[in-house]
Amino acid sequence: MRVRVRTAIGAAFGATLLAALPGCGGGTSTGGDSAGHPKTLTYWASNQGASLEDDKAKLTPELQEFEKQTGIKVKLEVVPWTDLLNRILGAASSGQGPDVLNIGNTWSASLQTTGALLPFDDKNFAQVGGRDRFQDSALASTGAQGKTPTAVPLYSLAYGLYYNKKMFADAGIAKPPATWDELVQDGKRLTGGGHYGLAIEGGNVSENIHHAFVFAKQHGADFFDAAGRPTFTSQGAVDGIKQYVDFIARDKIAAPGNAEYAQNESVADFATGKAAMLLWQAAGPNLQKHGMKPDQFGVAPVPVQSGTPGPGGNIDTMVAGINIAVFKNSGNLDGALKFVKFMTSDAEQKKINGEYGSIPPVKTASQDPAFNTPELTVLRNAIATSAAPLPQVPKESQFEELVGGAVKDLLADAAAGRPVTTQSVQARLAKAQQQMQ
């Protein structure tokens, strides 16, 4: 999921669960033919581009193509990330929502519990081309394990390690780091004279939770047990988060001011040479907007403890991306499924993911030569071999807020020169876990 805002949603889910009644009517399809088949769909798209208008410009030609093929007109609304989740919760509560909508894939399990989204059982998956067309890692972020998915992958993203080729060459570093020890060593060589080895987005709760998840996995930890109970204070989770916070606290390879970054400032710092490395999702288009040319940066897999990304303790990225879902009370379920099939077709997957710099979660589309750039090859391989979804549990969204906020507070402590110890990390996580219960 590409989200750059903090949301306060824990209580909202409780209210929604009580109010989301599948039989209360909804959907916004209007018009129809003589047989009563609606000819209009409403689609809530997430803001993936540089602006809401940019998204409209990118998506409108595709919606016009869908209308040309099916006779069904799509009313588009691009919803900013600051509003999207609350809009979805309100629609679930009232029973009056769009026909089709985008959701951040880390919200899948939480929104699944509302009962407002159409389950994609074998029959519904068959209507959009079948589940076998999608990457397994992307499918793992469509709902809770063991439950029928309520969404279909639309855009896939993964983290990579971006590095400034000239700064590396000037420092005599021949290749990007493969382990965290190497990254810290290189980072120290690249830090000095107002420049830092690494830029991070420490004031951004979503970025924090993504990295906390990966570092914990590399230390053999999960944030929830098999029964869905929080285990935030496990040794692996504590060690993983401390390792991340230590980039400012102990290693001093990231600027103290990074603790306040929340609006892509770290991308700007990397693009302008203030930092030599960046951990980011599909940063290429943004870097170019800041004036950095593609041949000025390289992309490598995110480091792991062993140096070789893979499954289990060698996970190096969360499964980032966007899913597309159907509102269960749509007045035009047949048309909505046709639209999902259209948006996940090979042709459309190549077009829309190409526009956004993301990677098609549809296997065949992802193999198109357009996605074989050095940057996207690294990210595509990560999605296929070394990615894992954030915990698919009903309280996942609250987990993001609480643990991501705890990491933000720890980074603020580090920036202010306050000690960050194993005990202080454990105390912050214990407080977050208590708030979950």
Side-chain angles (χ1 to χ4, degrees):
M1 174 173 62
R2 179 179 289 165
V3 183
R4 303 290 179 230
V5 296
R6 182 172 182 170
T7 55
I9 58 177
F13 270 105
T16 301
L17 291 176
L18 295 174
L21 302 176
C24 57
T28 52
S29 300
T30 59
D33 59 20
S34 59
H37 298 123
K39 287 297 182 180
T40 302
L41 293 172
T42 297
Y43 174 42
W44 287 358
S46 51
N47 177 204
Q48 301 301 122
S51 66
L52 302 185
E53 292 304 318
D54 180 50
D55 283 304
K56 291 175 184 176
K58 286 178 167 62
L59 292 173
T60 296
E62 308 316 312
L63 305 187
Q64 291 172 341
E65 176 61 26
F66 175 72
E67 182 178 5
K68 180 181 177 181
Q69 293 182 18
T70 64
I72 301 173
K73 181 178 178 62
V74 179
K75 294 182 178 180
L76 171 67
E77 181 179 357
V78 182
V79 184
W81 284 108
T82 47
D83 300 334
L84 184 59
L85 185 57
N86 286 334
R87 289 281 300 276
I88 296 171
L89 291 172
S93 178
S94 68
Q96 300 295 322
D99 298 286
V100 185
L101 65 158
N102 287 2
I103 64 173
N105 66 358
T106 65
W107 300 340
S108 293
S110 296
L111 292 175
Q112 185 178 47
T113 63
T114 69
L117 303 182
L118 180 73
F120 274 87
D121 54 16
D122 290 343
K123 176 184 176 183
N124 287 333
F125 250 121
Q127 290 194 60
V128 300
R131 78 174 64 229
D132 291 343
R133 299 178 61 243
F134 299 91
Q135 294 281 3
D136 289 341
S137 59
L139 285 173
S141 288
T142 55
Q145 187 174 6
K147 303 285 187 180
T148 301
T150 50
V152 174
L154 183 64
Y155 309 124
S156 284
L157 293 159
Y159 278 86
L161 174 67
Y162 291 75
Y163 62 97
N164 185 305
K165 292 181 179 179
K166 184 177 186 304
M167 293 177 75
F168 265 60
D170 289 347
I173 303 172
K175 60 181 181 179
T179 69
W180 293 114
D181 285 344
E182 290 174 357
L183 182 139
V184 171
Q185 292 168 10
D186 291 346
K188 289 180 177 179
R189 293 173 65 180
L190 293 158
T191 297
H195 302 276
Y196 282 86
L198 178 69
I200 64 175
E201 199 90 354
N204 187 307
V205 171
S206 296
E207 284 294 311
N208 289 342
I209 198 62
H210 298 167
H211 297 304
F213 171 74
V214 169
F215 276 86
K217 292 290 282 187
Q218 290 188 12
H219 283 270
D222 287 303
F223 284 100
F224 294 87
D225 65 18
R229 294 183 295 260
T231 56
F232 299 170
T233 58
S234 69
Q235 192 62 53
V238 171
D239 291 345
I241 288 175
K242 187 175 186 303
Q243 184 179 10
Y244 181 66
V245 174
D246 273 344
F247 291 149
I248 290 178
R250 182 190 65 190
D251 306 321
K252 303 187 186 305
I253 62 171
N258 285 189
E260 298 179 1
Y261 282 4
Q263 298 294 332
N264 296 0
E265 294 96 334
S266 58
V267 177
D269 278 5
F270 177 77
T272 56
K274 293 180 181 177
M277 291 181 283
L278 173 73
L279 299 166
W280 208 256
Q281 307 172 29
N286 273 346
L287 295 175
Q288 292 178 57
K289 287 178 183 177
H290 284 288
M292 195 175 199
K293 297 178 181 178
D295 62 355
Q296 293 178 316
F297 64 87
V299 187
V302 174
V304 295
Q305 315 294 354
S306 68
T308 305
N314 292 313
I315 292 295
D316 66 348
T317 180
M318 48 83 70
V319 179
I322 305 298
N323 294 337
I324 189 167
V326 173
F327 196 68
K328 192 174 182 178
N329 289 350
S330 167
N332 188 3
L333 285 176
D334 180 64
L337 287 169
K338 286 180 179 177
F339 183 63
V340 173
K341 182 177 182 179
F342 172 81
M343 292 292 280
T344 58
S345 67
D346 278 20
E348 286 305 308
Q349 282 285 289
K350 294 173 187 177
K351 287 181 183 178
I352 57 180
N353 280 280
E355 289 278 6
Y356 288 124
S358 49
I359 301 166
V362 172
K363 297 173 186 175
T364 47
S366 72
Q367 297 304 313
D368 187 90
F371 301 99
N372 287 341
T373 65
E375 175 187 15
L376 293 182
T377 297
V378 171
L379 303 184
R380 187 179 66 240
N381 289 342
I383 291 170
T385 62
S386 56
L390 263 67
Q392 293 291 303
V393 296
K395 291 187 176 182
E396 195 282 333
S397 297
Q398 190 179 6
F399 151 69
E400 289 191 28
E401 176 75 7
L402 293 172
V403 175
V407 176
K408 176 182 175 181
D409 292 341
L410 288 162
L411 287 166
D413 286 344
R418 292 186 287 270
V420 176
T421 64
T422 298
Q423 291 73 26
S424 66
V425 174
Q426 190 166 41
R428 293 276 188 183
L429 292 176
K431 181 180 179 181
Q433 181 166 308
Q434 186 177 27
Q435 290 176 297
M436 282 283 292
Q437 296 172 342

